[in-house]
Amino acid sequence: MDMDGDWPLPRPNSLFKVNRRPADSSLSKASSIASAFSSLATPVVAEAVQRAKALSTESDVEGFHQLRVAFRKLRALYWAYSPYLGEQATAQATDEFKRLAAVAGGTRDWDIAGDLLRTAQACGASIELLVAAAHEKRTQAVLHSQTMIKGDDVEAFLNDALLQAQTTLQSRCDDLPIRAFAEKRIRLAQRTLRKRSRRAVRSETTQEEDLHDVRKAGKKLRYLLEFFQPVIKSGHGRTIEALTSVQNKLGQFNDIAASETLIRSASFKEVPPEVVQESLQWLEEQKCRRMRAASRRVRAISGADGRDLKQ
């Protein structure tokens, strides 16, 4: 269990009404690094605030998922801007984005686990009691997420984080053009992905953690490509397609691996141990199959020439 989920949101030093412009309304090759950050971050912040407020009274599966995605996108953007934001400020913001994403993801994780258990049941596993228990865990996760993610607190924190970042960037890079900076950060993200992909397929036995590292690096690169598309050189369509294909396979594997970990770490007082063990055995078999499929796709982007991830 991630105990970070029990920390309260930090209170902002000041409140700030964000100008919620459309995603690329003012983003162009002539934009400065600072103004580009505002154009990119503002709509993501607006979406996160809107979803956090809606989830205070709703338990929509997709809503929790998209809230987690919004926090992940902000982490990628802050990483891109870390050379100007500074290491400490970047770490403070991204750590909180990560925590909030984990809290929002609790419900989604049990939804995925529940779906997998129902699939196992349909395949003949006698795990009715565990399926019911997982549904109850999902209900508890909703209540926890709603308690920990209060829309007004999220809005105050995100607005303050955005204001601080804007102020810092305006003082450090307000007159610097965005294009060269964006392409440099994308190249660094590409190299990181390629390095992790090669490490993942270097040995005959692929490790779960290596695939997880590839998945995280791939998400970061894809988000950056989507953010900076208006200002970078064209021709990244194939890269995004390749990343999407890899992410789909890695996501299927991650669903299984995360669900297995979730069930192993949970306490099911009303479920006999042999029922839990039967589900874990089924998940282990599925995990091995999906790991092989994910490894094949990772191998395709790990070649020495990096042909699938070239600009």
Side-chain angles (χ1 to χ4, degrees):
M1 180 67 67
D2 183 6
M3 297 306 294
D4 287 347
D6 291 327
W7 292 0
L9 284 171
R11 298 304 302 176
N13 296 322
S14 60
L15 295 182
F16 175 61
K17 290 300 182 182
V18 177
N19 178 23
R20 289 172 166 68
R21 292 171 292 183
D24 59 353
S25 61
S26 60
L27 185 62
S28 69
K29 295 175 184 178
S31 298
S32 69
I33 294 175
S35 64
F37 175 86
S38 297
S39 296
L40 295 170
T42 297
V44 183
V45 167
E47 179 182 4
V49 169
Q50 180 183 14
R51 291 192 181 279
K53 289 186 174 182
L55 291 172
S56 64
T57 57
E58 302 172 1
S59 60
D60 176 57
V61 175
E62 187 63 18
F64 280 113
H65 174 62
Q66 291 302 324
L67 179 58
R68 180 163 58 175
V69 169
F71 288 129
R72 286 173 175 171
K73 288 182 177 180
L74 287 172
R75 286 179 64 196
L77 189 61
Y78 270 66
W79 174 86
Y81 275 83
S82 59
Y84 291 107
L85 290 174
E87 183 177 344
Q88 182 177 358
T90 301
Q92 289 175 344
T94 55
D95 283 350
E96 184 62 12
F97 296 150
K98 183 178 181 179
R99 187 190 71 83
L100 288 168
V103 175
T107 299
R108 172 67 173 169
D109 290 342
W110 277 111
D111 278 319
I112 292 172
D115 287 343
L116 287 169
L117 290 175
R118 283 188 287 274
T119 299
Q121 186 179 13
C123 292
S126 302
I127 56 173
E128 291 85 357
L129 289 175
L130 185 58
V131 171
H135 180 74
E136 178 59 28
K137 292 288 186 183
R138 194 265 185 191
T139 301
Q140 295 171 7
V142 170
L143 294 176
H144 178 70
S145 296
Q146 290 177 333
T147 299
M148 298 307 301
I149 297 181
K150 296 181 174 65
D152 290 342
D153 288 353
V154 170
E155 181 175 25
F157 162 68
L158 289 178
N159 285 352
D160 188 65
L162 182 54
L163 174 59
Q164 291 184 28
Q166 289 172 330
T167 301
T168 299
L169 294 173
Q170 286 167 2
S171 68
R172 296 179 179 178
C173 55
D174 197 33
D175 58 345
L176 300 178
I178 183 62
R179 181 171 178 172
F181 168 77
E183 291 180 345
K184 180 179 180 180
R185 299 305 285 172
I186 286 173
R187 285 195 297 271
L188 180 57
Q190 286 177 318
R191 287 197 295 269
T192 300
L193 174 58
R194 215 171 278 133
K195 179 180 178 181
R196 292 184 178 183
S197 299
R198 291 169 183 168
R199 184 175 62 197
V201 299
R202 189 174 298 152
S203 61
E204 292 184 4
T205 305
T206 303
Q207 301 298 314
E208 289 184 34
E209 190 60 33
D210 289 337
L211 289 178
H212 185 56
D213 287 342
V214 173
R215 182 170 175 264
K216 290 189 293 185
K219 282 181 178 291
K220 178 189 292 182
L221 176 56
R222 196 182 81 189
Y223 292 151
L224 294 185
L225 288 171
E226 291 172 350
F227 274 132
F228 292 125
Q229 268 191 323
V231 299
I232 59 178
K233 295 177 181 178
S234 60
H236 286 280
R238 283 185 56 199
T239 302
I240 294 176
E241 288 180 5
L243 287 171
T244 300
S245 176
V246 173
Q247 289 299 316
N248 287 340
K249 291 297 182 184
L250 288 172
Q252 292 171 4
F253 163 71
N254 185 72
D255 287 349
I256 291 281
S259 295
E260 180 187 30
T261 300
L262 193 64
I263 291 170
R264 286 188 186 278
S265 63
S267 174
F268 301 100
K269 295 181 180 179
E270 305 299 325
V271 182
E274 60 270 20
V275 174
V276 176
Q277 189 58 40
E278 184 177 0
S279 74
L280 291 173
Q281 182 178 350
W282 184 86
L283 287 170
E284 181 67 27
E285 294 170 354
Q286 297 302 309
K287 184 175 70 173
C288 291
R289 180 174 62 83
R290 294 193 182 187
M291 179 183 283
R292 290 192 294 269
S295 297
R296 286 194 293 270
R297 287 300 301 127
V298 170
R299 195 175 297 278
I301 63 170
S302 64
D305 61 355
R307 57 187 176 277
D308 286 326
L309 295 176
K310 278 189 174 181
Q311 296 185 31

